């Protein structure tokens, strides 16, 4: 007897062997058959989906769940375009905080909306003895007041209170880490947001690091979230390369640096597992710290690498030698050069053709870099919604020649490179459907078309958020398509993305989300 039979739907299976179905049978959380193989079988529950369209649950291959959850409950200045309005929000948050001397966090900071960076002196006017930490929306910088600057070690660079990249990490280090209870609650809030958008599995893009990590025991918080039933979707954890340290392993192992116990990619179960090693090579375009090979338009700099190129390369090579899948953050084309050179060296030292190394973001990739991606078997994990929401700005700072190279689609596919969709939530909107719409039409919110030759088909965009996402996370045996034997993780949509006008894809209703064959609670509190 089936646990559940879903019927009267249009199942887009993403499986070329059986691309469309009308019935799907579930037993013990897995798909056991389609159409005639299950229509006559008895079932404990038969669900009539009333003509809805059903897809494999979306896979978001690059998210920040804890950050998302905390941001949802943090006072925000998002939408403010005047310095006075920003300061009013900060002062209100400070007053609510109570006793002086405590930390006050503010979300939603983006200097582009204000025309310049806020300064420590301006924050001082409304701090009332508190330490103010205002995180940049990109995650690659922050603005703090003088009370924080006074506590920083000597020599930490800042621009009137704005700290970028590693300097921001120094400010973060002044604060006590979040408790595992706090982290678990934040993770749970973010997970429900993912479910509401049809996401049933995701990859957390870096735990335990100084740049974005919230605690040195962050992995335990995810375990706690599981134990408290706060984690209703599948999560793969990328571990920050900051956590690697020298080990005295047997010389035959050839492992110069590792985590304790040799923990690496693949540990865990189908709900919570350890994925790639996350390595940062540069910053972000919003903060103008992505490392480019030539200057930003209108600026006299090319961004910055996170460290000396040789140090970054050694970390990449050591991670490969230790058996990790690597997820290398590289937004600018100069950072991509550093990553590609190091990955090529690593594969030369110890060939691992099945490693499935990834470059996260791949924000600006020159034409000459595309064959190198393909040759090395690297997946490009992109965030289409960056251009949907920030495309006008990104195109302006790249200029006419480079703008078509931003967050590519067609060029990756034409070179045989696995194109993987993701959000980088909470940096921007996490909706896969809105991202899929952008991947097809390449239009920003203002209507500007950015790199029209990089547009792909709806089917190809859907694959980026299902089949390709599963491949990038080594999940293809269990996820990514509605195939008998795989987990019954699926999303029920109010319309078929392949049949509606492209401009309507992003507004299709997510009717229900199933994980392990059970409809989930998608309410966000």
């Amino acid at each position: 007897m089936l646990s559940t039979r879903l019927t009267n739907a249009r199942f887009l299976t993403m499986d070329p062997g059986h691309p469309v179905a009308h019935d799907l049978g579930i037993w013990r959380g897995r798909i056991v058959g389609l159409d005639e193989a299950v229509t006559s079988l008895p079932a404990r529950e038969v669900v009539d989906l009333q003509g809805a369209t059903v897809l494999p649950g979306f896979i978001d291959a690059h998210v920040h769940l804890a950050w998302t959850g905390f941001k949802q409950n943090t006072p925000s200045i998002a939408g403010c375009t005047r310095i006075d309005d920003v300061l009013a929000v900060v002062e209100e948050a400070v007053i609510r905080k109570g006793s002086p001397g405590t930390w006050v966090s503010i979300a939603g900071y983006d200097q582009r909306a204000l025309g310049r960076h806020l300064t420590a002196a301006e924050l001082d006017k409304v701090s009332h003895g508190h330490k103010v930490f205002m995180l940049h929306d990109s995650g690659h910088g922050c603005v703090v007041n003088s009370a924080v600057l006074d506590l920083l070690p000597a020599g930490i660079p800042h621009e009137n209170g704005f700290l970028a990249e590693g300097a921001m990490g120094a400010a973060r280090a002044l604060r006590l880490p979040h408790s595992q209870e706090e982290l678990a609650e934040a993770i749970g809030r973010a997970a429900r947001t993912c479910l509401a958008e049809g996401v049933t599995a995701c990859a957390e893009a870096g735990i335990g690091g100084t740049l974005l990590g919230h605690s040195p025991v962050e992995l335990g918080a995810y375990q706690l979230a599981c134990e408290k039933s706060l984690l209703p979707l599948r999560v793969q954890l990328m571990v920050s390369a900051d956590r690697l340290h020298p080990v005295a392993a047997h010389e035959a192992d050839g492992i110069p640096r590792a985590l304790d116990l040799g923990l690496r990619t693949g540990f865990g179960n189908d709900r919570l597992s350890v994925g790639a090693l996350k390595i940062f090579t540069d910053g972000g375009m919003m903060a103008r710290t992505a490392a480019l090979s030539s200057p930003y338009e209108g600026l006299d700099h090319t961004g910055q690498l996170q460290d000396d190129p040789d140090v970054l390369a050694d970390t990449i090579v050591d991670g490969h030698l230790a058996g990790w899948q690597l997820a290398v953050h590289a937004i600018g084309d100069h950072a991509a050069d550093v990553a590609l050179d190091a990955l090529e060296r690593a594969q030369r030292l110890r060939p691992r053709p099945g490693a499935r190394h990834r470059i996260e973001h791949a924000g600006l990739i020159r034409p000459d870099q595309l064959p190198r991606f393909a040759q090395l078997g690297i997946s490009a994990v992109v965030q289409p919604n960056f251009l949907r929401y920030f495309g006008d700005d990104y195109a302006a700072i790249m200029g006419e020649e480079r703008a078509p190279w931003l967050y590519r689609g067609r060029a990756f596919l034409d070179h045989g490179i696995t194109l993987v969709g993701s959000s980088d939530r909470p940096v921007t909107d996490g909706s896969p459907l809105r991202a899929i719409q952008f991947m097809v039409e390449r239009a920003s919110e203002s209507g500007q078309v950015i790199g029209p030759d990089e547009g792909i088909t709806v089917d190809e965009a859907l694959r980026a958020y299902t089949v390709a996402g599963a491949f990038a996370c080594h999940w293809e045996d269990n996820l990514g398509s509605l195939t008998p034997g795989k987990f019954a993780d699926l999303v029920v949509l109010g319309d078929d993305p392949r049949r509606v006008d492209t401009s309507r894809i992003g507004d299709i209703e997510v009717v229900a989300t199933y994980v392990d064959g059970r409809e989930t609670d998608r309410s966000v509190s």
Side-chain angles (χ1 to χ4, degrees):
M1 175 179 286
L2 299 174
S3 305
T4 306
R5 179 163 58 85
L6 304 179
T7 188
N8 189 19
R10 180 175 174 80
F11 293 91
L12 306 182
T13 68
M14 307 309 293
D15 180 350
H18 194 144
V20 181
H22 52 76
D23 275 42
L24 181 145
I26 300 168
W27 185 66
R28 292 189 175 180
R30 290 187 181 265
I31 300 166
V32 294
L34 302 166
D35 293 343
E36 285 70 27
V38 297
T39 51
S40 61
L41 296 179
R44 293 193 187 95
E45 178 186 32
V46 177
V47 180
D48 184 342
L49 292 176
Q50 302 180 345
T53 296
V54 182
L55 280 156
F58 294 127
I59 296 171
D60 191 335
H62 184 118
V63 303
H64 299 281
L65 291 181
W67 178 13
T68 299
F70 282 124
K71 186 175 181 179
Q72 289 170 341
N73 277 15
T74 299
S76 176
I77 61 166
C80 293
T81 58
R82 298 172 59 249
I83 299 293
D84 287 347
D85 293 339
V86 169
L87 296 178
V89 173
V90 174
E91 187 163 33
E92 182 181 353
V94 164
I95 291 170
R96 287 203 307 268
K97 196 69 176 181
S99 55
T102 55
W103 287 86
V104 177
S105 294
I106 304 292
Y109 177 65
D110 185 344
Q111 84 286 354
R112 297 173 304 175
L114 302 173
R116 64 170 176 83
H117 278 300
L118 203 63
T119 68
E122 288 167 329
L123 287 177
D124 290 344
K125 297 175 183 177
V126 293
S127 298
H128 302 294
H130 290 77
K131 305 179 189 74
V132 177
F133 182 97
M134 185 177 290
L135 181 63
H136 195 278
D137 263 349
S138 68
H140 288 273
C142 65
V143 176
V144 299
N145 65 346
S146 297
V148 178
L149 293 178
D150 291 344
L151 298 175
L152 289 172
I156 297 295
H158 70 89
E159 180 185 337
N160 297 320
F162 177 72
L163 299 98
E165 310 301 342
M168 179 187 71
R172 276 182 174 275
L174 296 172
R175 307 182 66 169
L176 285 174
H178 293 291
S179 72
Q180 289 192 341
E181 288 280 354
E182 291 173 317
L183 279 161
E185 293 290 339
I187 291 162
R189 283 193 295 273
R192 292 190 294 276
T193 300
C194 290
L195 289 174
E197 294 172 345
V199 175
T200 58
C202 62
E204 167 66 52
I207 62 169
T210 56
L211 191 60
L212 289 177
H214 296 277
S215 166
V217 290
E218 203 167 353
L219 192 152
Y222 279 86
Q223 290 179 293
L224 180 62
C226 278
E227 293 162 1
K228 297 182 69 173
S229 300
L230 295 173
L231 198 62
L233 74 171
R234 305 183 199 281
V235 178
Q236 188 178 87
L237 303 172
M238 300 183 201
V239 177
S240 172
D242 296 0
R243 300 298 98 198
L244 292 183
H245 58 80
V247 292
H250 193 285
E251 62 180 17
D253 292 335
I255 300 176
R257 282 190 281 175
L259 296 185
D260 291 332
L261 305 178
L263 189 70
R264 60 175 174 83
T265 303
F267 180 81
N269 57 32
D270 59 78
R271 277 300 184 122
L272 182 64
S273 60
V274 173
L277 184 73
K278 176 72 177 295
I279 301 170
F280 284 93
T281 63
D282 68 344
M285 285 188 187
M286 292 170 65
R288 310 310 195 228
T289 54
L292 310 179
S293 56
S294 56
Y296 290 86
E297 286 287 311
L299 300 176
D300 60 357
H301 69 85
T302 58
Q304 65 187 78
L305 294 172
Q306 292 283 353
D307 210 327
D308 180 87
D310 290 338
V311 172
L312 296 172
D314 287 346
T315 300
I316 291 170
V317 171
D318 286 355
H320 173 89
L321 294 177
W324 287 91
Q325 178 191 21
L326 304 179
V328 185
H329 167 116
I331 293 184
D333 60 326
H334 177 43
D337 280 332
V338 172
L340 291 167
D341 288 346
L343 289 167
E344 184 175 23
R345 176 179 144 207
Q347 290 285 16
R348 190 167 57 247
L349 288 171
R350 181 176 295 170
R352 286 175 53 213
R356 299 190 194 175
H357 295 323
R358 313 158 33 148
I359 287 187
E360 309 299 301
H361 308 297
L364 186 75
I365 300 300
R366 303 187 308 271
D368 64 287
Q369 293 173 318
L370 294 166
R372 299 192 67 195
F373 268 76
Q375 181 183 6
L376 290 166
I378 295 168
S379 297
V381 183
V382 300
Q383 297 76 39
N385 276 336
F386 279 13
L387 290 191
R388 179 179 174 87
Y389 295 100
F390 311 139
D392 294 353
D393 174 60
Y394 284 14
I397 61 174
M398 289 301 106
E400 187 175 350
E401 179 185 6
R402 293 181 293 183
W405 305 343
L406 287 164
Y407 294 91
R408 292 177 179 270
R410 173 57 52 203
F412 284 133
L413 293 178
D414 285 352
H415 281 80
I417 298 161
T418 300
L419 176 65
V420 184
S422 70
S423 68
D424 202 17
R425 73 174 75 228
V427 176
T428 190
D429 186 345
S431 166
L433 287 169
R434 282 190 278 275
I436 286 164
Q437 177 178 323
F438 176 83
M439 295 175 89
V440 178
E441 64 183 8
R442 300 285 300 186
S444 71
E445 280 196 306
S446 74
Q448 180 180 357
V449 178
I450 303 162
D453 292 342
E454 292 296 330
I456 62 177
T457 69
V458 174
D459 278 335
E460 290 167 334
L462 290 172
R463 283 185 63 85
Y465 277 89
T466 54
V467 176
F471 177 84
C473 296
H474 291 267
W475 278 333
E476 72 275 12
D477 288 343
N478 289 307
L479 301 174
S481 66
L482 302 181
T483 303
K486 294 190 177 185
F487 291 122
D489 294 1
L490 46 90
V491 55
V492 181
L493 301 178
D495 218 328
D496 184 343
R498 302 190 304 183
R499 293 185 170 185
V500 302
D501 186 86
T502 302
S503 63
R504 290 184 50 216
I505 293 174
D507 294 324
I508 292 175
E509 179 188 3
V510 176
V511 177
T513 308
Y514 284 71
V515 176
D516 280 332
R518 293 186 293 273
E519 186 173 355
T520 61
D521 177 8
R522 302 178 299 128
S523 60
V524 179
S525 57

